[in-house]
Amino acid sequence: MTITADVNTQFAAEKTAQINAAREREAAFQARIDRGEVRLMGGDRYEVLTGWDRGEVFTVSRNAQGQIDAIIANHGLDSRADGTIALYAASPAWHGLGQIIPGGTTDIDTVLRLSGLAFDVVTVPALYMWEGTLREHADQRHTVRTDTGAALGAVGGRYTPIQNREGFEFLQELVGRYDVVWESAGVIRGGRRVFISIRLPETVTVDADGINDIVVPYVAVMNDHSGNGQFQCVVTPWRPVCANTERFAVRDAVTRWAVRHTAGATDQIKEARRTLGLSVKYFERFADEETALARTDLAVADFHQVIADLWPLEDDAKDRTKTNHANRLAALDDVFRTESERVGRTAYAAERAITGYLDHIAPRRPGKTMTEEIARATAALEGADDDTKNKAHKRLLVLTRS
């Protein structure tokens, strides 16, 4: 009888602990809603409104008692062999998914292992069946992962894979020389796209005597194993407050570098150090120009004129085009109003509105294997809207001199 009493007591204590944990989880989630960090989209789907995960959509799974059972992010990232998400990060992102090392690590091998990037890519003959005979396409090959055997793409005969480690390890010199860590790394679309990033040690301050806006400099490297993209290195200004990214053609500073997958590509990757070497000059000039924008008042009519220059509307445009144009203008006005409340109605707020619209609001069609959130993140890294952002930056700078 004594043993039974002990078991019952233990069971009651465990059950109480489970109930309390469920209540705490519900309370914490409700607190995020109350603080405006997430919003209900309908059903069990929610959208993140703040922080690194801004714009991400996730689903809340509940048990029979209506309590939160799991939070399932629609992240679009791949899974590792053990079922965990193929993502390494130095700070919590994607709702805690992936392998998080608080504060980050300086060891590239640890990053490659935790992010699922510790695999090589080889090319194999492109074969096809013709009238019962297996034939080889002499001018084409397929890229294949060595760990899973998964096909990643069709490439030409001269294509030479740039392996993940040899493509990323040139950044290790920066990690070793400066007080920086690997910030994030991950696998997208089954390994067709991979990325890795570091955060540079110095932050950039815009208008230190005024709005005092902080910009965090990053270096991001992306590799493509599908045959549809290049190996790229970019220097990226990132605003944590609004999660906007931009790369402007500031004088001669190189903010993007790319190389095709050829036999000499690995040696050419060393040239990417020039991109990094110019980054300090780039950010100094960047801060000066952004400060000038922050000190230039801007009327709504002037903002609308900039929008008209970026997205001109022809007089004979179709009704659908006119509707899309009106919706875009309304969305941009909303973002401009929000940014103006934070930093004043200036050319800087206008630029924030335009980059914010392009990064988070503008329609984006994801591929078959990508969610809209991953499509937006990929577009930001690849610089899909850099031309528009750069044009807006130059157009607004003109107003600082008038």
Side-chain angles (χ1 to χ4, degrees):
M1 295 297 293
T2 303
I3 295 176
T4 302
D6 290 342
V7 170
N8 288 339
T9 300
Q10 182 179 0
F11 174 79
E14 290 178 353
K15 193 64 177 177
T16 299
Q18 291 174 0
I19 293 174
N20 290 337
R23 288 174 177 171
E24 290 175 1
R25 188 160 58 243
E26 286 282 353
F29 185 69
Q30 184 60 48
R32 295 191 66 192
I33 296 176
D34 295 340
R35 290 194 300 267
E37 296 177 1
V38 298
R39 73 176 181 90
L40 178 64
M41 298 181 64
D44 293 324
R45 298 175 72 244
Y46 293 81
E47 180 186 12
V48 182
L49 303 177
T50 62
W52 292 103
D53 301 338
R54 179 176 176 178
E56 184 188 348
V57 176
F58 63 93
T59 302
V60 173
S61 173
R62 298 181 181 275
N63 58 26
Q65 289 72 42
Q67 301 168 332
I68 294 178
D69 184 45
I71 294 178
I72 307 169
N74 302 327
H75 47 77
L77 293 163
D78 290 349
S79 297
R80 304 192 307 168
D82 60 3
T84 57
I85 300 303
L87 172 72
Y88 152 81
S91 58
W94 303 101
H95 300 291
L97 295 175
Q99 326 312 311
I100 310 300
I101 297 183
T105 179
T106 59
D107 181 35
I108 187 173
D109 290 309
T110 299
V111 173
L112 295 176
R113 176 175 54 82
L114 294 179
S115 63
L117 285 169
F119 65 86
D120 287 336
V121 175
V122 296
T123 61
V124 298
L127 306 177
Y128 64 97
M129 186 68 69
W130 182 259
E131 295 182 347
T133 301
L134 191 62
R135 299 187 180 185
E136 178 181 345
H137 188 166
D139 297 329
Q140 281 199 329
R141 297 180 70 81
H142 291 158
T143 51
V144 175
R145 289 180 60 157
T146 57
D147 58 341
T148 64
L152 304 177
V155 298
R158 299 177 58 188
Y159 182 97
T160 302
I162 299 175
Q163 304 302 341
N164 294 333
R165 196 186 197 290
E166 66 184 10
F168 296 149
E169 65 183 357
F170 78 96
L171 289 178
Q172 185 70 51
E173 180 180 333
L174 284 182
V175 174
R177 182 185 302 178
Y178 302 106
D179 184 22
V180 297
V181 297
W182 298 100
E183 184 69 23
S184 64
V187 181
I188 302 173
R189 298 176 59 204
R192 294 174 179 84
R193 300 283 292 175
V194 297
F195 66 91
I196 199 165
S197 72
I198 61 174
R199 173 175 173 168
L200 297 180
E202 300 296 332
T203 58
V204 178
T205 303
V206 176
D207 191 16
D209 298 327
I211 60 174
N212 196 37
D213 218 10
I214 302 299
V215 179
V216 179
Y218 285 87
V219 175
V221 179
M222 293 153 287
N223 198 5
D224 182 283
H225 295 305
S226 71
N228 295 321
Q230 297 177 309
F231 177 93
Q232 300 182 68
C233 173
V234 298
V235 177
T236 304
W238 185 282
R239 288 180 173 78
V241 172
C242 54
N244 289 351
T245 62
E246 55 253 289
R247 286 174 292 277
F248 300 138
V250 177
R251 291 190 175 179
D252 298 325
V254 177
T255 57
R256 177 181 297 278
W257 183 90
V259 63
R260 299 177 62 185
H261 293 71
T262 60
T266 303
D267 291 334
Q268 294 180 49
I269 287 175
K270 297 176 182 178
E271 172 63 16
R273 291 173 181 167
R274 180 169 178 267
T275 299
L276 307 181
L278 290 172
S279 63
V280 174
K281 182 206 302 185
Y282 168 74
F283 282 112
E284 289 176 353
R285 181 62 180 170
F286 175 84
D288 290 342
E289 294 190 356
E290 294 295 278
T291 297
L293 294 178
R295 296 176 180 177
T296 302
D297 294 334
L298 187 71
V300 174
D302 291 330
F303 176 62
H304 285 176
Q305 184 57 57
V306 173
I307 300 306
D309 292 342
L310 294 176
W311 292 281
L313 180 65
E314 302 295 335
D315 293 336
D316 59 350
K318 296 181 179 179
D319 290 343
R320 181 176 180 180
T321 301
K322 292 180 179 179
T323 299
N324 291 339
H325 183 84
N327 291 339
R328 181 191 301 116
L329 182 59
L332 284 162
D333 276 342
D334 284 343
V335 185
F336 182 50
R337 189 178 304 110
T338 299
E339 290 295 339
S340 295
E341 292 174 354
R342 187 175 70 88
V343 298
R345 199 170 68 183
T346 61
Y348 183 75
E351 187 176 72
R352 299 283 59 70
I354 293 168
T355 57
Y357 169 80
L358 291 170
D359 286 345
H360 306 297
I361 301 174
R364 190 78 63 185
R365 292 184 179 181
K368 293 181 179 179
T369 58
M370 301 174 72
T371 65
E372 184 174 352
E373 293 74 32
I374 288 293
R376 288 189 184 281
T378 303
L381 282 176
E382 293 178 341
D385 298 311
D386 280 3
D387 287 344
T388 302
K389 293 176 179 179
N390 193 31
K391 184 177 179 180
H393 180 72
K394 291 180 177 179
R395 177 68 175 79
L396 289 166
L397 277 179
V398 173
L399 299 177
T400 68
R401 308 183 187 104
S402 58

